[in-house]
Amino acid sequence: MHRFCSLGFVVQEAETAAVGAISAATLYGKGVFTTIRIRRGEPFLWEKHWRRLSSDAEKVGIDISSVSEIRLQAALKELLAANQVTEARARITLFDSSGGGMWETGRLHLPPKILITTAPRRALPPTLRLTISPFSVNSGSPLAGIKSCNYLENLMAFNEANRRGFDEAIRPNEKGEIVSAALANIFWFCGNELFTPPVSSGCIAGTTREYIVEKVGAVEANLRPEDLKNAERIFIASSGIGIAEVAEVDETRFRVGNHPLVELLAEIEEC
């Protein structure tokens, strides 16, 4: 993470910035976030990120009527200038500052606390190795498909894969269908056609996922982990890493590079 963050639209030292101890955000993880790629000093796909952030906030019951999109953009640019970065990733988090639940505080109608942080893009190894995670996604959860601050399951899946020597994890849902990687969406080629799991599987509708579908087209399909052996190419995608080809899933290896569609995906990411 870079030195400065923006909390409540005030640029300050990231290490000392703090949110309130008693709130729905700190007690229950009630909040939503989005991670945005910063490219040449500008937030990439801002409209998609703002739309999803607003939608997710509404779904979990966070009132963002007081949050100005224009002011949020200005705060992000101010932070980029303070951290002196033009190529990075930025995370915007909306924390619910209200009380509620078992630890009622009477603070029922406070505006959300807004935290913006920046960091370098996630570094990936030259050979990306994935494994099937033992931690499944509940596609029927009310948080399925929402990028909420309840992200511990994703982190546990990611860390468990790392402990076994892998770089990422593929998470199936309770039906045994592939959902996504722990921290990214997943795509695969089969017969020169591009596929990705549907949002109904429980995956988050990532902005990079949406961008790829718009630019290249993709067929939504439910696939089981064992079916991946029939895939010709696999890659994962997110704002934090961009588009990355997968070389191995457990003991199955895949070719990387020198494929027209893969090259096209790399081109549209940089355009």
Side-chain angles (χ1 to χ4, degrees), residues 2 4 10 25 42 46 50 71 77 99 105 107-108 154 172 181 198 220 231-232 241 243 245 250 266:
H2 295 132
F4 297 107
V10 177
E42 296 293 332
W46 169 267
W50 170 249
R71 189 180 182 191
K77 290 199 171 186
T105 63
R107 306 169 1 145
L108 297 178
N154 302 68
E220 293 189 340
E232 296 169 12
I241 62 173
I243 300 169
E245 283 196 87
D250 289 319

Side-chain angles (χ1 to χ4, degrees), residues 50 74 97 111 136 151 180 251 266:
W50 170 249
S97 299
S136 63
Y151 222 59
S180 65
E251 298 180 355

Side-chain angles (χ1 to χ4, degrees), residues 8 70 103 136 152 156 174 179 181 202 205 210 214 221 225 237 256 260:
I70 295 176
W103 296 87
S136 63
L152 185 56
M156 289 175 67
E174 78 283 1
V179 175
E210 182 180 345
E214 289 175 352
V256 296

Side-chain angles (χ1 to χ4, degrees), residues 9-85:
F9 298 116
V10 177
V11 174
Q12 53 195 280
E13 294 278 350
E15 288 192 359
T16 56
V19 296
I22 305 299
S23 69
T26 52
L27 293 175
Y28 312 116
K30 188 178 179 182
V32 294
F33 75 97
T34 192
T35 302
I36 306 173
R37 177 179 175 180
I38 304 301
R39 192 172 65 173
R40 296 185 285 274
E42 296 293 332
F44 185 50
L45 303 178
W46 169 267
E47 294 81 7
K48 296 182 187 300
H49 284 283
W50 170 249
R51 185 177 69 244
R52 187 184 63 189
L53 191 67
S54 302
S55 175
D56 285 353
E58 181 180 0
K59 289 175 182 176
V60 301
I62 298 176
D63 181 5
I64 63 167
S65 59
S66 64
V67 179
S68 163
E69 179 185 359
I70 295 176
R71 189 180 182 191
L72 194 59
Q73 283 183 295
L76 174 57
K77 290 199 171 186
E78 182 183 16
L79 180 61
L80 294 174
N83 284 323
Q84 300 180 344
V85 293

Side-chain angles (χ1 to χ4, degrees), residues 225-254:
E226 57 268 24
D227 297 327
L228 283 179
K229 294 180 180 180
N230 299 321
E232 296 169 12
R233 308 287 179 112
I234 298 175
F235 68 91
I236 58 176
S238 74
S239 296
I241 62 173
I243 300 169
E245 283 196 87
V246 175
E248 183 178 330
V249 176
D250 289 319
E251 298 180 355
T252 303
R253 296 184 179 182
F254 300 89

Side-chain angles (χ1 to χ4, degrees), residues 191-207:
N192 284 327
E193 195 161 25
L194 184 63
F195 295 87
T196 192
V199 174
S200 60
S201 69
C203 77
I204 290 174
T207 54

